[in-house]
Amino acid sequence: MPREYVIITGAYGGLGKALSYVFAKQGYGLVLVGRKEELLKIEKDKLAQQTDVIIEVCDVSNWEHCQTMYNNLKQKAVNYKALINNAGITHIQKFDKDFDIEQYQQLIKTNLNAYVYLSKLFIEDLQQNKGSIINISSVIGYAPVIGRASYAAAKFGLNGFFGVLQAELKGKLHIMMVYPTFIETKIRESIKVSIQHHEILTADKVAKRIHTAYKKKKEKVYIGNTARLTYFLYRYFPKLYINLMKRKIKI
Ligand SMILES: NC(=O)c1ccc[n+]([C@@H]2O[C@H](COP(=O)([O-])OP(=O)(O)OC[C@H]3O[C@@H](n4cnc5c(N)ncnc54)[C@H](OP(=O)(O)O)[C@@H]3O)[C@@H](O)[C@H]2O)c1
């Protein structure tokens, strides 16, 4: 049987790297996607002894880049089993007259549009292989956090878009939404605000949880106590959640 491949975007980022190792260990081939060829090559060299690795240089926020990547892979006749939409950016911005529209646009293009672009391109191949689309969302995909309006717009948007797809494609394609709490990765370096964290997960732990949930064909995965508690609190006690959240986060 030809090797089954998993496509991972943001592959040399914190969670992307951890996912690569977890899926490689389980015998999957990897398509590592990112903007910087030299970093992709480093990851490929590290993983080459474990599995087959293809690298694709692609800015996933750019529709033409995504199409080119898809066509490149088509020529290699890769047998896809899963697309992991993981690449993401973040920033903190209060909404006022100085709100930076270009930053907002780039965030939506990366954290929302790219997920749609790649899902559209790979959907038929994934359906044929009884595969999965795995979308990395966030706690801010279902609960608001001050200063994160753009990030919330994208991550809440994923819920709407892929919620519809889960209904449309039930029984035809597995789509899984992943809601992790804080993870120790570089993305956090761009967040220069005071947040009291009681829980920060390692990327390795989150990646293992994602793989287990994928094997069980879960539709939603809340990773970390904060993720589960926030879901419960915001759903049943929204005013209390907002008060607690504003007390914890200073921007
Ligand atoms: N860390 C957390 O606390 C946390 C919590 C919940 C959810 N998440 C989500 O987890 C996912 C992974 O984030 P992370 O924490 O692993 O962050 P990270 O270490 O900063 O990794 C993000 C990766 O995305 C890539 N990327 C960004 N824009 C891209 C683009 N236009 N095209 C291709 N690749 C692009 C980055 O590559 P470049 O170096 O080229 O920019 C980087 O490799 C994100 O979707 C994030 O929203 C993170």
Side-chain angles (χ1 to χ4, degrees):
M1 200 176 88
R3 202 192 268 282
E4 292 176 328
Y5 278 75
V6 174
I7 306 157
I8 303 175
T9 70
Y12 48 76
L15 184 56
K17 258 191 217 181
L19 285 164
S20 309
Y21 284 93
V22 167
F23 278 85
K25 204 172 167 192
Q26 298 300 322
Y28 292 94
L30 301 172
V31 179
L32 303 181
V33 181
R35 290 187 285 200
K36 296 169 190 139
E37 189 170 15
E38 65 282 12
L39 295 184
L40 289 172
K41 280 185 176 160
I42 291 171
E43 287 312 303
K44 180 177 178 171
D45 290 347
K46 284 198 246 165
L47 286 153
Q49 285 188 338
Q50 286 188 51
T51 190
D52 299 327
V53 183
I54 297 170
I55 57 172
E56 280 294 328
V57 180
C58 175
D59 174 349
V60 294
S61 69
N62 181 307
W63 169 234
E64 282 75 31
H65 281 212
C66 293
Q67 286 174 291
T68 305
M69 173 176 78
Y70 178 75
N71 292 331
N72 289 344
L73 290 170
K74 199 80 190 157
Q75 285 170 14
K76 294 180 182 146
V78 179
N79 180 28
Y80 313 110
K81 198 62 186 169
L83 162 66
I84 309 186
N85 283 314
N86 165 71
I89 53 174
T90 194
H91 54 248
I92 303 283
Q93 248 199 118
K94 263 192 178 169
F95 189 73
D96 56 22
K97 69 176 179 40
D98 296 327
F99 186 82
D100 185 332
I101 291 295
E102 279 181 19
Q103 251 193 351
Y104 165 78
Q105 286 169 332
Q106 188 54 35
L107 197 144
I108 296 293
K109 280 199 286 181
T110 310
N111 292 15
L112 176 60
N113 294 357
Y115 286 45
V116 175
Y117 300 159
L118 295 176
S119 300
K120 171 184 158 63
L121 289 165
F122 289 99
I123 192 167
E124 277 191 6
D125 305 85
L126 289 168
Q127 266 185 269
Q128 273 167 19
N129 293 341
K130 299 200 182 334
S132 303
I133 296 175
I134 301 172
N135 296 310
I136 310 302
S137 182
S138 160
V139 172
I140 308 175
Y142 54 86
V145 170
I146 52 169
R148 309 294 293 281
S150 309
Y151 191 79
K155 298 289 192 187
F156 271 68
L158 292 176
N159 268 0
F161 191 89
F162 286 97
V164 171
L165 260 56
Q166 279 173 331
E168 284 181 2
L169 298 169
K170 187 101 188 153
K172 294 184 188 153
L173 181 66
H174 169 230
I175 299 174
M176 182 167 94
M177 304 301 296
V178 181
Y179 307 103
T181 186
F182 307 105
I183 316 166
E184 194 60 57
T185 70
K186 285 212 166 117
I187 210 170
R188 308 186 52 72
E189 289 171 6
S190 52
I191 306 177
K192 295 180 178 61
V193 294
S194 151
I195 309 174
Q196 295 166 26
H197 289 306
H198 297 296
E199 186 186 33
I200 300 184
L201 304 175
T202 63
D204 189 43
K205 182 174 177 173
V206 175
K208 284 181 183 151
R209 281 291 316 279
I210 291 170
H211 177 262
T212 306
Y214 156 73
K215 286 310 250 185
K216 292 182 180 166
K217 298 249 185 251
K218 297 254 186 199
E219 292 198 338
K220 290 177 189 236
V221 201
Y222 299 87
I223 304 180
N225 294 332
T226 310
R228 287 185 287 274
L229 180 66
T230 303
Y231 176 80
F232 174 80
L233 208 56
Y234 184 58
R235 176 157 192 178
Y236 297 106
F237 304 99
K239 284 185 188 161
L240 175 64
Y241 165 78
I242 296 291
N243 285 338
L244 289 173
M245 178 270 293
K246 286 179 81 173
R247 224 183 291 162
K248 267 180 178 277
I249 299 170
K250 303 286 169 226
I251 62 167

